Amino acid sequence: ACFDKAGNGYNVTVVSPTASGKSLAFQLPVLDHLLKHPGATALFLYPTKALIEDQLAKLREMERCMERINTAVYDGDTDLGARRQLRKFGRLILSNPDSLHYSILPHHESWSRFMRGLAFIVVDEGHYYHGVLGSHMALLLRRLRRLANFYGAHPVFIVTSATIDEPGKFASRLTGEIVRQVDPSGAPE
């Protein structure tokens, strides 16, 4: 359901228990789009470095079976040379809200190629962003969307969580966009 909705340009939220396939639910439509559209880019936002590293390992494993997409981490530990290369050639960037706020958005001119191609913005573990942190994240996502629009892109948002009440309403408030909820759980029984 996520593949179909996101692939058709709808913003979606996926809420399902841990180890139920949430990551695949957003990875597959994004990877499919990136493989079909060489100029397209995507941004995956995670709340913790450990989660970024875990997801990077899984994406790299998937890339062994297909064309390489140029997937990389962009955060405070990324060295300057790698940062320059990612701005020029990165297609699937895994990052966090702090790096987005301090390193990417204020320097959007140097990210213009990436912004022009921005097809997907994934917010994994969306339940982290509530209260004051949620307000900050909502403003950050609106700023990102405005910049993407400025460069001619209209990215699809995908928000995931293991636990959240009223996921469609929450994700819509977080992103500032209408977000469709994908209901069925993929949890093993």
Side-chain angles (χ1 to χ4, degrees):
C2 182
F3 187 95
D4 291 340
K5 288 181 182 179
N8 287 319
Y10 294 107
N11 302 306
V12 295
T13 182
V14 179
V15 178
S16 190
T18 301
S20 62
K22 282 188 305 295
S23 294
L24 278 176
F26 66 79
Q27 290 168 348
L28 293 178
V30 171
L31 293 173
D32 180 65
H33 187 84
L34 294 178
L35 288 169
K36 290 177 179 174
H37 302 91
T41 61
L43 177 66
F44 290 2
L45 296 170
Y46 298 95
T48 66
K49 187 163 189 64
L51 194 50
I52 289 174
E53 293 301 323
D54 176 65
Q55 292 300 307
L56 179 64
K58 291 177 182 175
L59 286 163
R60 291 260 166 86
E61 185 65 27
M62 291 170 75
E63 281 186 334
R64 288 182 31 181
C65 304
M66 62 186 186
E67 180 182 326
R68 186 156 161 72
I69 292 178
N70 200 7
T71 302
V73 174
Y74 189 98
D75 64 15
D77 294 333
T78 305
D79 69 64
L80 294 177
R83 288 178 185 222
R84 281 190 292 277
Q85 290 300 310
L86 290 175
R87 285 192 295 268
K88 289 181 182 178
F89 305 110
R91 295 201 52 221
L92 176 52
I93 303 292
L94 286 66
S95 194
N96 58 58
D98 282 345
S99 294
L100 180 63
H101 176 70
Y102 290 110
S103 300
I104 297 173
L105 296 181
H107 309 287
H108 62 87
E109 299 92 353
S110 60
W111 285 89
S112 62
R113 180 209 53 90
F114 185 84
M115 291 289 181
R116 264 192 307 280
L118 191 57
F120 289 93
I121 300 168
V122 174
V123 180
D124 198 16
E125 303 296 334
H127 58 273
Y128 272 73
Y129 308 112
H130 62 277
V132 173
L133 182 58
S135 296
H136 287 293
M137 186 64 167
L139 292 171
L140 188 62
L141 292 174
R142 283 161 178 75
R143 189 170 151 211
L144 174 58
R145 185 187 68 233
R146 279 193 312 272
L147 283 171
N149 293 166
F150 174 78
Y151 287 103
H154 300 282
V156 169
F157 284 89
I158 302 174
V159 179
T160 70
S161 178
T163 56
I164 202 157
D165 291 329
E166 300 183 76
K169 182 178 177 182
F170 172 82
S172 293
R173 291 174 78 190
L174 185 66
T175 64
E177 297 281 328
I178 296 171
V179 179
R180 296 171 187 243
Q181 181 178 334
V182 174
D183 287 318
S185 169
E189 296 184 17

